Amino acid sequence: MAPAAPAPGAPDTDPESPPAAAQVLRRCRELAAPALAEAIGTLHPWVAEMARYALGRCEVGGAPADHGQGKGVRQALAVLGAEIVSGPAGAGVPGAVAVELVHVFSLLHDDIMDGDALRRGRPAVWKAYGTGPAVLAGDALFALAVETVALTPQAGSAVRQLTTALGDLVRGQADDLLFADRPWTGPDAVGVAEYEVMAERKTGALLGCALALGARLAGAPERTVTVLDRAGRHLGVAFQIADDVLGIWGDPSVTGKPVHSDLRQAKKTLPVLAALGGAGYGELDELLAACHSLDGAGVRRATALVERAGGRATAVREARRHLAAADTLLAGVPLAPGPTEELRTMLSALADRAI
């Protein structure tokens, strides 16, 4: 990928250089915001309130708020997907709305399945409103996402693009849940390759859909749409691996999670699975088997063993391999140079936060 953009606020002395990553994300979010708000406004008022709460736009009860809403990566990919095929940015907005609705739907349900009580420092929707209401809100967002693309001129192909991604997302989530019950080592253990297939489905499918959907709505040829979907899926695997690295070695002030949180929860992440595939994993296997009851020293020991066995290095290498694969795919189709550089800038900056 292209070199990472300067940090937000850093001087930009080259007037021809693409906007910094944060600016690209903000521009795309702001472009999609009115359409996203309008779509949510069509829901039942109570369901719409839960959706706005999930987006950080209100408190429980509906009082306006302005909490963090996430980076809006999927929205940006849909808008840039339209622009990189020389279409107007607005052509990608329905795709941006749809993928954001699916993303929020998946977070609402993920928090319930994982038992996560907090989301971006606030009570998760299921803790704030109840499990049943949170499931209902997620279902409503799912339906609204499909309706959003069904109302576009490319309805048939756009709906198929979105539903294919939704099917893969569900398959990936199912695999991720089943991984929790499988052993750390032995013939039934989860391997790195199997893990990456899960990550492509759970995380990559929606990123690929966002990029491809924006291009499709802008009238791109089918081959270009297919290539962009594949590129986005590689990016999704890289982002999932980056999250895995942050889940063990990340700064809690940045991640919002306690240090070593993924190890404490016995999550099967790529660095740990890679470490267990190397030599001398006996002590690590014993620690992981008891990770729920480990004290701070035990978790720190497990972290050190993962790094010593090459788990972190393998994760970095795999993430960079997927980023390179995405870049190769982008180079293989005719794309508008300016928006493509913005895309590369944004993706490099996001990846470099962890790798």
Side-chain angles (χ1 to χ4, degrees), residues 162-181:
L162 185 65
T163 55
T164 297
L166 286 165
D168 280 349
L169 189 155
V170 170
R171 290 184 183 91
Q173 181 65 28
D175 286 339
D176 196 28
L177 290 172
L178 289 170
F179 285 176
D181 295 326

Side-chain angles (χ1 to χ4, degrees), residues 16-318:
E16 299 301 317
S17 66
Q23 291 175 284
V24 176
L25 291 166
R26 182 168 59 250
R27 174 177 70 84
C28 296
R29 281 198 312 268
E30 291 175 353
L31 182 66
L36 180 60
E38 182 180 356
I40 289 173
T42 66
L43 298 172
H44 183 285
W46 186 41
V47 175
E49 179 190 317
M50 287 187 277
R52 294 190 186 101
Y53 176 89
L55 287 164
R57 306 310 297 165
C58 77
E59 307 289 1
V60 175
D66 189 15
H67 297 286
Q69 301 174 58
K71 295 182 178 68
V73 173
R74 291 154 191 83
Q75 297 176 64
L77 287 176
V79 171
L80 290 170
E83 292 180 322
I84 63 178
V85 296
S86 301
V93 166
V97 171
V99 295
E100 185 66 13
L101 292 171
V102 169
H103 178 53
V104 177
F105 138 73
S106 70
L107 295 180
L108 263 61
H109 285 192
D110 281 358
D111 286 343
I112 294 169
M113 287 184 280
D114 296 341
D116 290 337
L118 294 176
R119 168 68 59 181
R120 298 192 183 109
R122 293 202 300 163
V125 173
W126 71 276
K127 291 297 288 185
Y129 290 88
T131 301
V135 171
L136 178 66
D139 292 345
L141 294 175
F142 177 101
L144 184 58
V146 176
E147 180 184 3
T148 298
V149 293
L151 295 175
T152 65
Q154 301 84 357
S157 59
V159 169
R160 284 194 297 274
Q161 188 93 49
L162 185 65
T163 55
T164 297
L166 286 165
D168 280 349
L169 189 155
V170 170
R171 290 184 183 91
Q173 181 65 28
D175 286 339
D176 196 28
L177 290 172
L178 289 170
F179 285 176
D181 295 326
R182 289 172 58 181
W184 287 103
T185 57
D188 294 326
V190 179
V192 168
E194 186 179 7
Y195 178 89
E196 291 190 12
V197 170
M198 179 278 294
E200 180 192 327
R201 291 170 173 167
K202 181 180 176 181
T203 306
L206 195 54
L207 294 184
C209 177
L211 199 54
L213 194 54
R216 184 180 294 283
L217 295 175
E222 194 64 34
R223 176 178 178 273
T224 299
V225 171
T226 299
V227 168
L228 293 177
D229 179 71
R230 289 171 57 204
R233 286 171 179 264
H234 278 292
L235 293 168
V237 178
F239 288 163
Q240 183 62 60
I241 294 171
D243 279 346
D244 289 351
V245 173
L246 288 171
I248 300 176
W249 293 280
D251 180 351
S253 67
V254 175
T255 65
K257 300 178 181 180
V259 67
H260 307 142
S261 60
D262 282 356
L263 274 177
R264 291 180 185 276
Q265 296 174 36
K267 290 186 70 173
K268 290 184 172 66
T269 60
L270 193 139
V272 178
L273 297 176
L276 288 170
Y281 59 77
E283 182 184 356
L284 177 59
D285 189 20
E286 293 175 7
L287 288 170
L288 291 170
C291 60
H292 288 299
S293 59
L294 288 179
D295 58 14
V299 172
R300 287 192 296 274
R301 175 62 178 164
T303 300
L305 288 170
V306 170
E307 186 149 16
R308 183 185 302 171
R312 185 174 188 173
T314 298
V316 169
R317 185 168 60 250
E318 281 298 289

